[in-house]
Amino acid sequence: MTTEARRKMVERVRGLLRMAEDPAVTDAESQAFTAKAAELMTRHAIAEAEARAQRGEAAESVTRLDFPVSGVGGHGKARVKALAGIAAAYGCQSAVRGNTSANTERTLIIVGTATALDALRVLLPSITMQMEASARFTAREHVANLRELRNYDRSALATERSRFYRSFIRAYGYAVAERIREFRARLSADPEPGGAGESSGGEAPRGAEVVLRTDVDRVQEEFQKRFPQLRPTRPERTHHRAGYRAGYLRGRRAELGMETAVGGGGTSSLPDAE
């Protein structure tokens, strides 16, 4: 892809994400715009890797992206878990700096190929905005229903909202990451006719599956070099089953491929919360 073609592709992705973030659009429309943006970036990443391999060029560099994550509301750890899962679906690995229970900002350090990080640099801010909007709306609705049905005092309702909110965010991220992995698997197994997966000279191309697997290995090696003594993060103890289920179902509605709509192409059972 030429520099000009890539610039136009990125502009189109940014345009789709601006439409997705528009308060005037419906939730379904917002998810559809995000879907198309994610699909374009994913196709670009795989096509670039295959084309580079076919030309006999060295694999692209593995580098890092520092992404700020808000700690507002005490939900910073949940946000980190959600976004790190999405990054992992793109073949990246993550570490986090300053991941405490405080409301302060922390940094998600993502290690991956240059193309994968380009995609995440564009997509993560928009996905974060939509995830937070969905969490606020759904948590507010949940608390309103409790206020009508049960005798909760203000403190109990605040605790309930907090537990629901962070469980929603974790599950939303899990569901979006799940959809990205499914789409990448379909794309690597069945590339578009005439795309980068076919060789014009009649020679067997290096398949997208091989390219992606090789990139994952290189990313893991670089990550271990950068963080040789990384301590695993402790799982969050607070879990709200209704919040987790709501977040997962909302995340599954975020279309991330054109072949099948989210929820189509087979059923998906709700995973166990961590």
Side-chain angles (χ1 to χ4, degrees):
M1 180 178 286
T2 65
T3 302
E4 179 63 18
R6 185 184 184 283
R7 184 187 65 79
K8 290 182 178 179
M9 184 274 297
V10 172
E11 286 182 355
R12 186 181 178 194
V13 167
R14 292 190 186 280
L16 287 166
L17 293 177
R18 282 195 294 271
M19 289 188 286
E21 296 163 10
D22 188 340
V25 304
T26 66
D27 185 61
E29 290 170 335
S30 176
Q31 301 292 6
F33 289 138
T34 305
K36 187 60 179 178
E39 181 200 340
L40 285 174
M41 297 299 289
T42 302
R43 288 191 185 279
H44 164 68
I46 293 178
E48 284 284 284
E50 287 191 285
R52 189 180 297 107
Q54 290 174 31
R55 292 193 299 263
E57 298 176 0
E60 67 177 332
S61 61
V62 174
T63 182
R64 65 182 269 183
L65 165 66
D66 289 5
F67 188 79
V69 180
S70 170
V72 170
H75 307 314
K77 288 187 176 181
R79 295 184 180 104
V80 162
K81 187 172 183 63
L83 298 177
I86 294 171
Y90 271 94
C92 301
Q93 294 200 23
S94 304
V96 60
R97 183 171 61 237
N99 198 29
T100 68
S101 58
N103 294 349
T104 55
E105 183 176 277
R106 69 268 346 260
T107 302
L108 183 62
I109 304 169
I110 307 172
V111 176
T113 63
T115 303
L117 295 184
D118 281 346
L120 292 171
R121 193 175 285 109
V122 173
L123 292 170
L124 285 185
S126 181
I127 290 175
T128 298
M129 182 180 297
Q130 294 178 66
M131 176 175 70
E132 295 289 341
S134 291
R136 284 194 298 270
F137 174 81
T138 312
R140 185 166 57 245
E141 188 176 63
H142 174 72
V143 169
N145 290 337
L146 288 181
R147 189 180 289 114
E148 291 181 3
L149 297 176
R150 302 181 186 180
N151 186 25
Y152 280 83
D153 59 27
R154 182 174 298 181
S155 175
L157 285 173
T159 299
E160 179 73 10
R161 181 189 183 280
S162 181
R163 293 177 61 240
F164 184 99
Y165 196 106
R166 68 181 55 147
S167 293
F168 182 103
I169 287 176
R170 290 208 316 271
Y172 187 103
Y174 179 94
V176 170
E178 185 177 67
R179 291 302 297 165
I180 292 171
R181 288 193 300 269
E182 291 169 0
F183 176 69
R184 281 165 63 93
R186 289 199 304 271
L187 193 58
S188 63
D190 186 24
E192 283 190 323
E198 292 192 356
S199 172
S200 58
E203 299 178 357
R206 186 182 184 195
E209 182 180 1
V210 176
V211 171
L212 293 177
R213 187 166 60 245
T214 301
D215 282 348
V216 167
D217 292 339
R218 293 193 305 114
V219 168
Q220 182 175 8
E221 181 180 352
E222 179 64 23
F223 185 81
Q224 290 175 345
K225 287 180 182 178
R226 291 173 181 258
F227 305 101
Q229 299 179 345
L230 184 67
R231 293 179 300 175
T233 57
R234 296 179 180 178
E236 286 188 279
R237 297 178 181 177
T238 303
H239 170 61
H240 193 291
R241 184 167 294 277
Y244 195 89
R245 180 173 181 81
Y248 179 80
L249 294 177
R250 184 63 64 93
R252 287 294 299 189
R253 285 204 290 269
E255 287 191 52
L256 294 170
M258 290 190 66
E259 291 88 343
T260 57
V262 172
T267 58
S268 180
S269 58
L270 185 67
D272 292 333
E274 297 182 4

